[in-house]
Amino acid sequence: MTTPVRKLIAGNWKMNGLGVDLLETERLSKALTAEPAHCRVALCPPATLIERMVRELKGGPVEIGGQDCRAEASGAFTGDISAEMLRDAGAHLVILGHSERRTLHHETDVDVAAKVGAALRAALEPVICVGETLAQRKSGDALSVVVRQLRESLPALLAGHRFAVAYEPVWAIGSGLTPTLAEIEEMHRAIRETLEASFAGSGAPILYGGSVKPDNAAQILAVKEVGGALVGGASLKAADFLEIIRAA
Ligand code: PEP
């Protein structure tokens, strides 16, 4: 099995953040610049802030990403944003298939796979999210659900490209609940085996996401095959996010 060397800690701001919040980001960037770069750090603000964040953090260690994109490059899709537009704004990554998109916007694995293709077309690194619901975990179906989601959300054309997978149990997002470390390890192992079967040697990091906080980050990030974290709420405050980064 291939374990990636540098972990990726990515913050998902969701629909939070105004221009004034870039002060926090600058603080984060300054603090990280003064430290050895032991892991990759990314922030995914709302689309309205991407260009400003890119400009203000230019030359620093924080990579910037989008939170979603549409599969098409352009067209009559009011309110949507394409991978090319994210790239044009200076983004280098994009979160795809987040459970909030899958639930609130009814995105299917087929939709997610098409968006992954769009991300590659625009030279963005996709961070592809998968995860089971609480009912699926309780019924003992978590592994099979996540492996199926993963197989169907990853197009074959990913081979040879840089990408990451984020395992985010739906019930752990924003709830303060997390799986046990053994459950995280079991799921990450299953994801690694699935990736190896289709994209042998890619070394794609497998992030854990769902209520990662300063006080549980070190334990979670030390689990075998956990190649980083996707952090929601705790990425909004530079001090908390910094603690998580330092735990990697
Ligand atoms: C997320 O939404 O990707 C997430 C992990 O959120 P939180 O850290 O707030 O649970």
Side-chain angles (χ1 to χ4, degrees), residues 160-216:
H161 290 274
R162 187 145 102 155
F163 68 97
V165 170
Y167 166 54
E168 297 208 301
V170 179
W171 52 274
I173 294 177
S175 64
L177 304 171
T178 54
T180 64
L181 299 179
E183 285 168 338
I184 294 175
E185 181 170 348
E186 181 185 42
M187 186 62 81
H188 279 239
R189 194 182 323 119
I191 292 174
R192 177 60 67 204
E193 284 167 5
T194 307
L195 290 180
E196 283 292 316
S198 309
F199 308 103
S202 86
I206 305 167
L207 317 186
Y208 168 78
S211 295
V212 176
K213 307 283 178 213
D215 61 358
N216 63 13

Coordinates of all heavy atoms in Angstrom, one line a residue, residues 160-216:
G160 N -3.3 8.8 -13.1 CA -2.2 9.7 -13.4 C -2.4 11.1 -13.0 O -1.5 11.9 -13.1
H161 N -3.5 11.5 -12.5 CA -3.8 12.8 -12.0 C -3.7 12.9 -10.5 O -3.9 11.9 -9.8 CB -5.2 13.3 -12.4 CG -5.3 13.5 -13.9 ND1 -4.9 14.7 -14.5 CD2 -5.7 12.7 -14.9 CE1 -5.1 14.6 -15.8 NE2 -5.6 13.4 -16.1
R162 N -3.4 14.1 -10.0 CA -3.4 14.4 -8.6 C -4.8 14.5 -8.1 O -5.6 15.3 -8.6 CB -2.6 15.6 -8.3 CG -2.4 15.8 -6.8 CD -1.0 16.4 -6.6 NE -1.1 17.8 -6.3 CZ -0.2 18.5 -5.6 NH1 0.9 17.9 -5.1 NH2 -0.3 19.8 -5.5
F163 N -5.2 13.8 -7.1 CA -6.6 13.9 -6.5 C -6.5 13.5 -5.0 O -5.5 12.8 -4.6 CB -7.6 13.1 -7.2 CG -7.5 11.6 -7.2 CD1 -8.2 10.9 -6.2 CD2 -6.6 11.0 -8.0 CE1 -8.1 9.5 -6.1 CE2 -6.5 9.6 -7.9 CZ -7.2 8.8 -7.0
A164 N -7.5 13.8 -4.3 CA -7.6 13.3 -2.9 C -9.1 12.8 -2.7 O -10.0 13.2 -3.4 CB -7.4 14.5 -1.9
V165 N -9.2 11.9 -1.7 CA -10.5 11.4 -1.3 C -10.7 11.9 0.1 O -9.8 11.9 0.9 CB -10.6 9.9 -1.4 CG1 -11.8 9.3 -0.8 CG2 -10.5 9.4 -2.9
A166 N -12.0 12.3 0.4 CA -12.3 12.7 1.8 C -13.4 11.7 2.3 O -14.5 11.7 1.8 CB -12.7 14.1 1.9
Y167 N -13.0 10.9 3.3 CA -14.1 10.1 4.0 C -14.8 11.0 5.0 O -14.1 11.4 6.0 CB -13.5 8.9 4.6 CG -14.4 8.2 5.6 CD1 -15.7 7.8 5.1 CD2 -14.1 7.9 6.9 CE1 -16.6 7.2 6.0 CE2 -15.0 7.3 7.8 CZ -16.3 7.0 7.3 OH -17.2 6.4 8.2
E168 N -16.0 11.3 4.8 CA -16.8 12.1 5.7 C -18.1 11.5 6.1 O -19.1 11.6 5.3 CB -17.1 13.5 5.1 CG -15.8 14.3 4.7 CD -16.1 15.8 4.7 OE1 -17.0 16.2 4.0 OE2 -15.5 16.5 5.5
P169 N -18.1 10.8 7.2 CA -19.4 10.2 7.6 C -20.4 11.3 7.8 O -20.2 12.3 8.5 CB -19.1 9.5 9.0 CG -17.7 9.6 9.2 CD -17.1 10.6 8.2
V170 N -21.6 11.2 7.1 CA -22.6 12.3 7.1 C -23.0 12.7 8.5 O -23.1 13.9 8.8 CB -23.8 11.8 6.3 CG1 -24.9 12.9 6.3 CG2 -23.4 11.5 4.9
W171 N -23.1 11.7 9.4 CA -23.5 11.9 10.8 C -22.5 12.6 11.6 O -22.8 13.0 12.8 CB -24.0 10.6 11.4 CG -22.9 9.5 11.3 CD1 -22.7 8.6 10.2 CD2 -21.9 9.1 12.2 NE1 -21.7 7.8 10.4 CE2 -21.2 8.1 11.7 CE3 -21.5 9.6 13.5 CZ2 -20.1 7.5 12.3 CZ3 -20.5 9.0 14.1 CH2 -19.8 8.0 13.6
A172 N -21.2 12.6 11.1 CA -20.2 13.3 11.9 C -20.0 14.7 11.5 O -19.3 15.5 12.3 CB -18.9 12.5 11.7
I173 N -20.6 15.1 10.4 CA -20.3 16.5 10.0 C -21.1 17.5 10.8 O -22.4 17.4 10.9 CB -20.7 16.6 8.5 CG1 -19.8 15.8 7.6 CG2 -20.7 18.1 8.0 CD1 -20.1 15.7 6.2
G174 N -20.4 18.4 11.4 CA -21.0 19.5 12.2 C -21.8 19.0 13.5 O -22.5 19.8 14.1
S175 N -21.6 17.7 13.8 CA -22.4 17.2 14.9 C -21.6 17.1 16.2 O -22.2 16.8 17.3 CB -22.9 15.8 14.6 OG -21.8 14.9 14.4
G176 N -20.3 17.1 16.1 CA -19.4 16.9 17.3 C -19.2 15.4 17.5 O -18.5 15.0 18.4
L177 N -19.8 14.6 16.7 CA -19.6 13.1 16.9 C -18.5 12.7 15.9 O -18.4 13.3 14.8 CB -20.9 12.4 16.5 CG -22.1 12.7 17.3 CD1 -23.4 12.1 16.7 CD2 -22.0 12.3 18.7
T178 N -17.8 11.7 16.3 CA -16.8 11.1 15.3 C -16.9 9.6 15.4 O -17.2 9.0 16.5 CB -15.4 11.5 15.6 OG1 -15.1 11.2 17.0 CG2 -15.2 13.0 15.4
P179 N -16.5 8.9 14.4 CA -16.3 7.4 14.5 C -15.2 7.1 15.5 O -14.4 8.0 15.8 CB -16.0 6.9 13.1 CG -16.2 8.1 12.2 CD -16.1 9.3 13.1
T180 N -15.1 5.8 15.9 CA -13.9 5.5 16.7 C -12.7 5.4 15.8 O -12.9 5.4 14.6 CB -14.1 4.1 17.3 OG1 -14.2 3.1 16.3 CG2 -15.4 4.0 18.2
L181 N -11.5 5.5 16.4 CA -10.3 5.4 15.6 C -10.3 4.1 14.8 O -9.8 4.1 13.7 CB -9.1 5.6 16.5 CG -9.0 6.9 17.3 CD1 -7.8 7.0 18.1 CD2 -9.1 8.2 16.4
A182 N -10.7 3.1 15.4 CA -10.7 1.8 14.7 C -11.7 1.8 13.5 O -11.4 1.3 12.4 CB -11.2 0.7 15.7
E183 N -12.8 2.5 13.7 CA -13.7 2.6 12.5 C -13.1 3.4 11.4 O -13.3 3.1 10.2 CB -15.1 3.2 13.0 CG -15.9 2.2 13.8 CD -17.1 2.9 14.5 OE1 -17.1 4.1 14.7 OE2 -18.1 2.1 14.8
I184 N -12.4 4.5 11.8 CA -11.8 5.3 10.8 C -10.7 4.5 10.1 O -10.6 4.5 8.8 CB -11.2 6.6 11.4 CG1 -12.3 7.5 12.0 CG2 -10.3 7.4 10.4 CD1 -11.8 8.7 12.8
E185 N -9.9 3.8 10.8 CA -8.9 3.0 10.2 C -9.4 1.9 9.2 O -9.0 1.8 8.1 CB -8.0 2.3 11.3 CG -6.9 1.5 10.6 CD -5.8 1.0 11.6 OE1 -5.8 1.4 12.8 OE2 -5.0 0.2 11.2
E186 N -10.5 1.3 9.7 CA -11.1 0.3 8.8 C -11.6 0.9 7.5 O -11.4 0.3 6.4 CB -12.3 -0.4 9.6 CG -13.0 -1.5 8.9 CD -14.2 -2.0 9.6 OE1 -15.0 -1.1 10.2 OE2 -14.4 -3.2 9.7
M187 N -12.3 2.0 7.6 CA -12.8 2.6 6.4 C -11.7 3.1 5.5 O -11.7 3.0 4.3 CB -13.7 3.8 6.8 CG -14.4 4.4 5.6 SD -15.5 3.3 4.8 CE -17.0 3.3 5.8
H188 N -10.7 3.7 6.1 CA -9.6 4.3 5.3 C -8.8 3.1 4.6 O -8.4 3.2 3.4 CB -8.6 5.1 6.1 CG -9.1 6.5 6.3 ND1 -8.5 7.6 5.9 CD2 -10.3 7.0 6.8 CE1 -9.2 8.7 6.1 NE2 -10.3 8.3 6.7
R189 N -8.7 1.9 5.3 CA -8.1 0.8 4.6 C -8.9 0.3 3.4 O -8.4 0.1 2.4 CB -7.9 -0.3 5.7 CG -7.0 -1.4 5.1 CD -6.8 -2.6 6.1 NE -6.8 -2.3 7.5 CZ -7.7 -2.7 8.4 NH1 -8.7 -3.5 8.0 NH2 -7.7 -2.3 9.6
A190 N -10.2 0.3 3.6 CA -11.1 -0.1 2.5 C -11.0 0.8 1.3 O -11.0 0.4 0.2 CB -12.5 -0.2 3.0
I191 N -10.9 2.1 1.6 CA -10.8 3.1 0.6 C -9.4 2.9 -0.1 O -9.4 3.0 -1.4 CB -11.0 4.5 1.1 CG1 -12.4 4.7 1.6 CG2 -10.6 5.6 0.1 CD1 -12.7 6.1 2.3
R192 N -8.4 2.7 0.6 CA -7.1 2.6 0.0 C -7.1 1.3 -0.9 O -6.6 1.4 -2.0 CB -6.0 2.4 1.1 CG -4.6 2.2 0.6 CD -4.0 3.3 -0.3 NE -3.8 4.5 0.4 CZ -3.8 5.7 -0.2 NH1 -4.0 5.8 -1.5 NH2 -3.6 6.8 0.5
E193 N -7.7 0.2 -0.4 CA -7.7 -1.0 -1.2 C -8.5 -0.7 -2.5 O -8.1 -1.2 -3.6 CB -8.3 -2.1 -0.4 CG -7.3 -2.7 0.6 CD -8.0 -3.6 1.6 OE1 -9.2 -3.9 1.5 OE2 -7.2 -4.0 2.5
T194 N -9.6 0.0 -2.4 CA -10.4 0.3 -3.6 C -9.6 1.2 -4.6 O -9.6 1.0 -5.8 CB -11.7 1.1 -3.2 OG1 -12.3 0.3 -2.2 CG2 -12.6 1.2 -4.3
L195 N -8.9 2.2 -4.0 CA -8.1 3.0 -4.9 C -6.9 2.2 -5.6 O -6.7 2.4 -6.8 CB -7.4 4.2 -4.1 CG -8.4 5.3 -3.6 CD1 -7.6 6.3 -2.8 CD2 -9.1 5.9 -4.7
E196 N -6.3 1.3 -4.8 CA -5.2 0.5 -5.3 C -5.7 -0.3 -6.5 O -5.0 -0.5 -7.5 CB -4.6 -0.3 -4.3 CG -3.7 0.4 -3.3 CD -2.4 0.9 -4.0 OE1 -1.8 0.2 -4.7 OE2 -2.1 2.1 -3.8
A197 N -7.0 -0.8 -6.4 CA -7.5 -1.7 -7.4 C -7.7 -0.9 -8.7 O -7.5 -1.5 -9.8 CB -8.8 -2.3 -6.9
S198 N -8.0 0.4 -8.7 CA -8.2 1.1 -9.9 C -7.1 2.1 -10.3 O -6.9 2.3 -11.4 CB -9.5 1.9 -9.8 OG -10.6 1.2 -9.3
F199 N -6.4 2.6 -9.3 CA -5.4 3.6 -9.5 C -4.1 3.3 -8.8 O -3.6 4.1 -8.0 CB -5.9 5.0 -9.1 CG -7.3 5.4 -9.6 CD1 -8.4 5.3 -8.8 CD2 -7.4 5.8 -10.9 CE1 -9.7 5.6 -9.3 CE2 -8.7 6.1 -11.4 CZ -9.8 6.0 -10.6
A200 N -3.7 2.1 -9.0 CA -2.5 1.6 -8.3 C -1.4 2.6 -8.3 O -1.0 3.1 -9.3 CB -2.0 0.2 -8.9
G201 N -0.8 2.8 -7.1 CA 0.4 3.6 -7.0 C 0.1 5.1 -7.0 O 1.0 5.9 -7.1
S202 N -1.2 5.5 -7.0 CA -1.5 7.0 -7.1 C -1.1 7.7 -5.8 O -0.7 8.9 -5.9 CB -3.0 7.2 -7.4 OG -3.7 7.3 -6.2
G203 N -1.1 7.0 -4.7 CA -0.8 7.6 -3.4 C -1.7 8.7 -3.1 O -1.3 9.6 -2.2
A204 N -2.9 8.8 -3.6 CA -3.8 9.9 -3.3 C -4.1 9.9 -1.8 O -4.4 8.9 -1.2 CB -5.1 9.7 -4.1
P205 N -4.0 11.1 -1.2 CA -4.3 11.1 0.2 C -5.7 10.9 0.5 O -6.6 11.3 -0.2 CB -3.9 12.5 0.6 CG -3.9 13.3 -0.6 CD -3.6 12.4 -1.7
I206 N -6.0 10.1 1.6 CA -7.4 9.9 2.0 C -7.6 10.7 3.3 O -7.0 10.4 4.4 CB -7.6 8.4 2.3 CG1 -7.2 7.6 1.1 CG2 -9.1 8.2 2.7 CD1 -7.2 6.1 1.3
L207 N -8.4 11.8 3.2 CA -8.6 12.7 4.3 C -9.8 12.2 5.1 O -10.7 11.5 4.6 CB -8.9 14.1 3.8 CG -8.2 14.7 2.7 CD1 -8.6 16.2 2.4 CD2 -6.7 14.6 2.9
Y208 N -9.7 12.4 6.4 CA -10.9 12.2 7.3 C -11.6 13.6 7.5 O -10.9 14.6 7.7 CB -10.5 11.6 8.6 CG -11.7 11.6 9.5 CD1 -12.8 10.7 9.4 CD2 -11.9 12.7 10.4 CE1 -13.9 10.8 10.1 CE2 -13.1 12.8 11.1 CZ -14.1 11.9 11.0 OH -15.3 12.0 11.7
G209 N -12.9 13.6 7.4 CA -13.6 14.8 7.7 C -14.9 14.5 8.5 O -15.5 13.5 8.4
G210 N -15.2 15.4 9.4 CA -16.4 15.3 10.3 C -16.0 15.6 11.7 O -15.4 14.7 12.4
S211 N -16.3 16.8 12.2 CA -16.0 17.2 13.6 C -14.6 17.1 14.0 O -14.3 16.7 15.1 CB -16.9 16.5 14.5 OG -18.3 16.8 14.3
V212 N -13.6 17.4 13.0 CA -12.2 17.4 13.4 C -12.0 18.8 14.2 O -12.4 19.8 13.7 CB -11.3 17.3 12.2 CG1 -9.8 17.5 12.7 CG2 -11.5 16.0 11.5
K213 N -11.5 18.7 15.4 CA -11.3 19.8 16.2 C -9.8 19.8 16.7 O -9.2 18.8 16.7 CB -12.2 19.8 17.4 CG -13.7 19.6 17.1 CD -14.3 20.9 16.6 CE -15.8 20.6 16.2 NZ -16.2 21.4 15.1
P214 N -9.4 20.9 17.3 CA -8.0 20.9 17.9 C -7.8 19.8 18.9 O -6.7 19.2 19.0 CB -7.9 22.3 18.6 CG -8.8 23.2 17.8 CD -10.0 22.3 17.4
D215 N -8.9 19.4 19.6 CA -8.6 18.4 20.7 C -8.7 16.9 20.2 O -8.4 16.0 21.0 CB -9.6 18.6 21.9 CG -11.0 18.5 21.5 OD1 -11.3 18.3 20.3 OD2 -11.9 18.7 22.4
N216 N -9.1 16.7 19.0 CA -9.1 15.3 18.5 C -8.2 15.1 17.3 O -8.1 14.0 16.8 CB -10.5 14.8 18.2 CG -11.3 15.5 17.1 OD1 -10.6 16.3 16.4 ND2 -12.6 15.3 17.0

